[in-house]
Amino acid sequence: MKVKVISRSTDEFTRERSQDLQRVFRNFDPNIRTQEKAVEYVRALNAAKLEKIFARPFVGAMDGHIDAVSCMAKNPNHLKGIFSGSMDGDIRLWDIASRRTVCKFPGHQGAVKGLAASTDGRLLVSCGTDCTVRLWNVPSSDLMETNDSTEKSAQPLDEYVWKNAFWAVDHQWEGDRFATAGAGVHIWNHNKSAPERSFEWGTDTVISVRFNPGEPNVLATTAIDRSIVLYDLRMSSEVTKLIMRTRCNSIAWNPMEPINFTAANEDCNCYTYDARKLDEAKCVHKDHVSAVMDIDYSPTGREFVTGSYDRTVRIFPFNGGHSREIYHTKRMQRVFCVKFSCDATYVISGSDDTNLRLWKAKASEQLGVLLPREQKKHEYHEAVKNRYKHLPEVKRIVRHRHLPKPIYKAVALRRTMTEAERRREERRKAHSTPGSVTTEPLRQKRIIKVVE
């Protein structure tokens, strides 16, 4: 004999507060709920509208530099800390929570072009156009917790002088070496005053360098000669060189898929490549209307943020062709550097107007501690939006963004130029011998050649 017993969890049917209504059992049988889809569609529509109403991405500005912010670096050891360097040689450690300067690192006589923190967060490496690399001891996290408004100054642990100016620096993951970019790629050790190894493939200046987060001995660089080069420290020579039609200003590895990297290009696009197959881009990310200056991946690896010469910050999905978000303010000038926070909640941008700006990664996200009911409500709204996001009205509301007038006009102009080029290609193909004119896909069009 079978006996059916009604079993209900006490946690699910217990009121959180005395004012709450008693929870009741609901039957979700579709035969009983004939209007279920209509009701959910209206809820998805309302959820999309509420997201627009509560979208307040700008958190605040961090003012203190007296010249353009040229580079930034995250502190892996402390969630609230971020380093910034400016064109006048000033380096600062900021507390994101209170948006104040915690410590200064004086000493550079020219523009600071690169900053990188060690994996344990104890050392900071800086380089600049004054031909020096400096090692700094990062203040302890106790200094970040104090409410003392006075700014501390740090002294460099070591200083390395070289023959040429430096343009970028990056620290090795789980190691004691770091790489600098300039007239060539130089590999340094904390305990040595001269480079351990130097790479030169071509004669032009290297402007960006990034170590692979999954394989500490692999690094990628971009140079003024429009090349992207992969190096392996275990080999005495370079691995692969990719030459594009326009140069890449910055490069970033995907932390969750370390075989993939994304390059920020001068032609307003970003290109994601597989390091094992460089003859074709995996994805082309379009939306900017001017050169993309910097790029940084979220710690989750699902999206990345870009800063552009067109004075906007955009957030892209890692596999999407168009941005999901665009941030801008009236006073923000050309954006030279961007970073995701270590918990993927915030985005920090540094621009030509001497300010660092703090943004929410999700524009309508509610900050602070959420009650369980609020958390479930937000999750339900996201679920119904994703379920009905393909419908025209919901899609229109979710995708709509207010753009500054110069950006709006530039987007319309680029669209006109792209359509004209497409029509020209179609007419050339229609009036030519069949097979004589081939259309090159966009993923390969910007690549000139790959040198092994």
Side-chain angles (χ1 to χ4, degrees):
M1 182 179 69
K2 293 183 179 179
V3 178
K4 292 184 178 180
V5 179
I6 297 177
S7 177
R8 297 176 182 173
S9 172
T10 308
D11 296 334
E12 293 181 1
F13 289 87
T14 302
R15 294 182 294 176
E16 295 177 7
R17 290 175 291 188
S18 59
Q19 294 85 1
D20 292 349
L21 297 175
Q22 188 69 38
R23 295 189 183 183
V24 296
F25 177 75
R26 298 186 184 277
N27 190 345
F28 295 101
D29 185 1
N31 295 323
I32 300 174
R33 300 162 57 90
T34 55
Q35 297 295 320
E36 179 184 13
K37 288 189 176 180
V39 170
E40 280 197 342
Y41 171 72
V42 173
R43 289 175 178 172
L45 209 58
N46 291 336
K49 292 176 182 177
L50 286 172
E51 184 183 28
K52 293 298 172 190
I53 292 173
F54 291 111
R56 298 289 185 271
F58 182 65
V59 179
M62 292 177 278
D63 187 14
H65 287 293
I66 60 174
D67 208 340
V69 181
S70 56
C71 55
M72 288 193 299
K74 291 181 284 189
N75 187 353
N77 198 32
H78 202 275
L79 194 62
K80 300 191 298 179
I82 189 161
F83 302 97
S84 67
S86 71
M87 300 296 282
D88 64 343
D90 186 22
I91 303 173
R92 291 172 179 247
L93 171 61
W94 299 86
D95 182 7
I96 296 178
S98 60
R99 300 197 294 276
R100 63 181 177 89
T101 301
V102 176
C103 185
K104 288 184 176 182
F105 302 86
H108 279 284
Q109 301 301 316
V112 181
K113 303 298 290 186
L115 291 173
S118 60
T119 311
D120 57 8
R122 296 179 181 176
L123 287 177
L124 174 69
V125 186
S126 65
C127 68
T129 56
D130 58 354
C131 307
T132 62
V133 178
R134 294 170 184 262
L135 283 181
W136 309 84
N137 193 7
V138 178
S140 62
S141 58
D142 297 336
L143 183 62
M144 302 281 289
E145 301 298 337
T146 60
N147 294 324
D148 188 7
S149 59
T150 58
E151 300 172 357
K152 303 293 189 296
S153 294
Q155 296 297 325
L157 292 177
D158 211 341
E159 179 180 353
Y160 311 132
V161 181
W162 196 240
K163 298 173 287 186
N164 307 104
F166 296 102
W167 285 80
V169 65
D170 193 37
H171 201 281
Q172 186 181 30
W173 292 73
E174 302 294 338
D176 56 356
R177 290 184 289 186
F178 59 92
T180 57
V185 180
H186 306 290
I187 310 300
W188 304 72
N189 194 301
H190 294 170
N191 304 316
K192 296 181 180 179
S193 59
E196 287 185 339
R197 189 180 304 178
S198 297
F199 297 99
E200 289 186 8
W201 195 351
T203 58
D204 281 320
T205 303
V206 183
I207 56 176
S208 176
V209 60
R210 286 288 184 274
F211 272 101
N212 190 307
E215 178 51 63
N217 292 310
V218 174
L219 68 155
T221 64
T222 63
I224 291 180
D225 62 355
R226 303 166 297 163
S227 65
I228 300 174
V229 186
L230 298 181
Y231 297 92
D232 193 337
L233 302 185
R234 296 165 295 189
M235 302 173 62
S236 58
S237 62
E238 300 78 3
V239 180
T240 313
K241 184 176 185 178
L242 167 70
I243 302 177
M244 300 186 68
R245 296 190 183 276
T246 49
R247 80 177 190 186
C248 295
N249 292 315
S250 184
I251 196 169
W253 294 91
N254 190 331
M256 293 292 108
E257 299 175 359
I259 57 172
N260 299 332
F261 64 87
T262 304
N265 204 277
E266 283 276 334
D267 64 356
C268 314
N269 298 334
C270 296
Y271 298 88
T272 297
Y273 290 97
D274 188 331
R276 303 166 297 181
K277 186 176 182 294
L278 293 177
D279 57 351
E280 182 181 8
K282 290 188 66 176
C283 188
V284 181
H285 312 274
K286 302 179 290 185
D287 267 348
H288 281 294
V289 296
S290 190
V292 187
M293 303 303 294
D294 196 17
I295 183 172
D296 186 50
Y297 261 95
S298 164
T300 61
R302 310 304 295 177
E303 55 190 14
F304 60 87
V305 60
T306 58
S308 172
Y309 213 72
D310 61 12
R311 300 175 295 177
T312 62
V313 175
R314 290 183 182 265
I315 300 177
F316 290 84
F318 78 105
N319 57 357
H322 295 279
S323 60
R324 72 161 178 86
E325 200 63 78
I326 175 172
Y327 295 153
H328 55 87
T329 64
K330 287 184 178 180
R331 297 184 179 183
M332 186 163 69
Q333 298 301 310
R334 299 165 296 188
V335 181
F336 289 147
C337 50
V338 288
K339 289 292 180 186
F340 253 104
S341 64
C342 293
D343 59 352
T345 306
Y346 298 98
V347 168
I348 303 100
S349 65
S351 56
D352 200 13
D353 58 2
T354 74
N355 280 341
L356 276 79
R357 288 179 172 83
L358 186 64
W359 313 82
K360 289 189 286 188
K362 294 181 180 178
S364 59
E365 185 179 15
Q366 183 178 346
L367 300 180
V369 179
L370 299 181
L371 295 173
R373 292 175 66 191
E374 291 177 321
Q375 184 67 34
K376 289 181 179 179
K377 176 187 174 184
H378 292 316
E379 292 172 357
Y380 177 72
H381 282 176
E382 286 295 325
V384 293
K385 274 194 303 183
N386 288 331
R387 184 173 183 180
Y388 295 96
K389 64 182 179 182
H390 61 283
L391 296 179
E393 191 66 17
V394 178
K395 184 193 294 186
R396 182 186 66 83
I397 296 173
V398 170
R399 291 180 57 187
H400 178 72
R401 295 291 184 276
H402 286 291
L403 296 177
K405 189 176 289 185
I407 305 295
Y408 184 81
K409 291 183 177 179
V411 169
L413 179 61
R414 284 182 61 85
R415 189 182 299 115
T416 303
M417 295 167 61
T418 305
E419 287 297 316
E421 185 178 356
R422 183 185 60 80
R423 287 194 301 269
R424 187 164 57 248
E425 289 291 331
E426 289 178 353
R427 290 168 183 167
R428 185 181 291 117
K429 185 182 293 186
H431 293 84
S432 302
T433 305
S436 63
V437 178
T438 59
T439 302
E440 197 173 11
L442 181 61
R443 297 183 179 186
Q444 299 175 356
K445 186 179 292 186
R446 306 298 298 177
I447 299 175
I448 295 179
K449 64 177 179 179
V450 179
V451 183
E452 296 290 341

